[in-house]
């Protein structure tokens, strides 16, 4: 059964997040609040956990998974960031944005898009999510926690527990968060392309 770690949303207790990070290291999936909605995360280097992540959501290999990173410097380690992208990323991070970028060799091929070799990248503007990344010691593979057959992400730890108590290793309960998706922008073409409009307003980035 999934463990619940109740943390303060603005000053999360490091010992609890370290316990959640240990469960990730052991191959578990963890639900965590972000600045858009709750997400389910796994370690990037864990093949079985990545497969469990897709299975939980009912996603095929062509659906972009997203790397949750701590900052812009970390993004450039896992994605190819052109000079023309840098200003845009600097304006948007941290925040409710997901950028589609070409993955570097640091990203396992099994988690990048099979034909385009791209990956979703974002820096969440949520202290609990970023503290969990710190506790794990590396970016985390993630997807929005939307139940199969539904359209809205879950926003309550007890609801998540009721639905996924046997699928998750832990739920980090940082209280409710927005129930909206990130805005997705594809940066692999000549010009930025808005793929999905969510919490982030593209006009604020000049798109």
């Amino acid at each position: 059964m999934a463990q619940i770690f109740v943390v303060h949303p603005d000053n999360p207790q490091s010992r609890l997040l370290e316990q959640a990070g240990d469960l990730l290291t052991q191959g578990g999936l963890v639900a965590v609040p972000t600045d858009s909605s709750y997400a389910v995360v796994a370690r990037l280097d864990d093949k079985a956990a990545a497969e469990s992540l897709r299975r939980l959501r009912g996603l095929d290999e062509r659906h972009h998974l997203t790397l949750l990173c701590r900052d812009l410097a970390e993004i450039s380690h896992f994605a190819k960031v052109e000079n023309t992208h840098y200003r845009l990323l600097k304006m948007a991070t941290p925040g409710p944005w997901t950028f589609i970028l070409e993955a570097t060799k640091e990203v396992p091929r099994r988690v990048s898009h099979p034909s385009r070799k791209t990956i979703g990248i974002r820096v969440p503007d949520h202290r609990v999510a970023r503290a969990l990344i710190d506790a794990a010691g590396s970016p985390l593979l993630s997807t929005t926690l939307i139940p199969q057959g539904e359209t809205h992400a879950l926003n309550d730890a007890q609801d998540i527990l009721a639905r996924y108590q046997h699928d998750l290793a832990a739920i980090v309960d940082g209280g409710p968060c927005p129930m909206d998706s990130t805005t997705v922008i594809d940066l692999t073409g000549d010009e930025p392309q808005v793929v999905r409009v969510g919490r982030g307003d593209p006009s604020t980035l000049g798109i």
Side-chain angles (χ1 to χ4, degrees):
M1 184 171 174
Q3 298 184 54
I4 290 189
F5 300 108
V6 180
V7 300
H8 192 283
D10 297 320
N11 188 26
Q13 300 92 316
S14 59
R15 63 179 179 82
L16 297 179
L17 291 171
E18 286 170 3
Q19 291 178 51
D22 288 341
L23 291 172
L24 287 168
T25 300
Q26 295 167 26
L29 302 181
V30 174
V32 62
T34 76
D35 53 338
S36 58
S37 63
Y38 268 78
V40 57
V41 300
R43 286 188 63 90
L44 175 62
D45 56 2
D46 192 322
K47 180 180 179 180
E51 292 172 349
S52 296
L53 194 68
R54 290 188 184 278
R55 190 163 52 249
L56 182 83
R57 280 286 318 279
L59 303 174
D60 63 27
E61 63 179 6
R62 302 186 71 81
H63 183 95
H64 274 108
L65 297 176
T66 298
L67 273 185
L68 299 185
C69 296
R70 284 169 281 199
D71 51 36
L72 184 53
E74 201 162 58
I75 287 179
S76 63
H77 188 64
F78 293 92
K80 296 180 180 178
V81 179
E82 305 292 343
N83 290 336
T84 53
H85 302 153
Y86 186 83
R87 178 176 171 274
L88 189 67
L89 291 170
K90 189 172 182 180
M91 290 173 60
T93 54
W97 308 85
T98 298
F99 294 95
I100 306 300
L101 291 158
E102 184 179 350
T104 67
K105 293 181 179 180
E106 300 301 320
V107 177
R109 294 184 65 181
R110 64 179 177 273
V111 300
S112 61
H113 191 282
S115 59
R116 298 180 62 199
K117 310 307 178 196
T118 50
I119 187 77
I121 297 274
R122 88 180 195 93
V123 178
D125 189 14
H126 196 290
R127 292 188 179 182
V128 175
R130 290 167 73 179
L132 181 60
I133 301 169
D134 281 335
S138 67
L140 296 173
L141 199 61
S142 75
T143 186
T144 305
L145 189 47
I146 302 173
Q148 291 190 47
E150 300 183 25
T151 56
H152 297 292
L154 299 181
N155 195 43
D156 178 79
Q158 291 300 322
D159 189 11
I160 295 170
L161 178 64
R163 293 180 185 236
Y164 296 110
Q165 58 183 308
H166 300 300
D167 302 296
L168 300 173
I171 300 161
V172 180
D173 182 359
C177 55
M179 294 181 65
D180 201 356
S181 56
T182 59
T183 293
V184 180
I185 299 177
D186 190 332
L187 296 180
T188 60
D190 293 334
E191 297 291 337
Q193 179 180 354
V194 178
V195 177
R196 179 185 72 198
V197 177
R199 286 199 70 212
D201 181 357
S203 67
T204 62
L205 301 182
I207 301 175

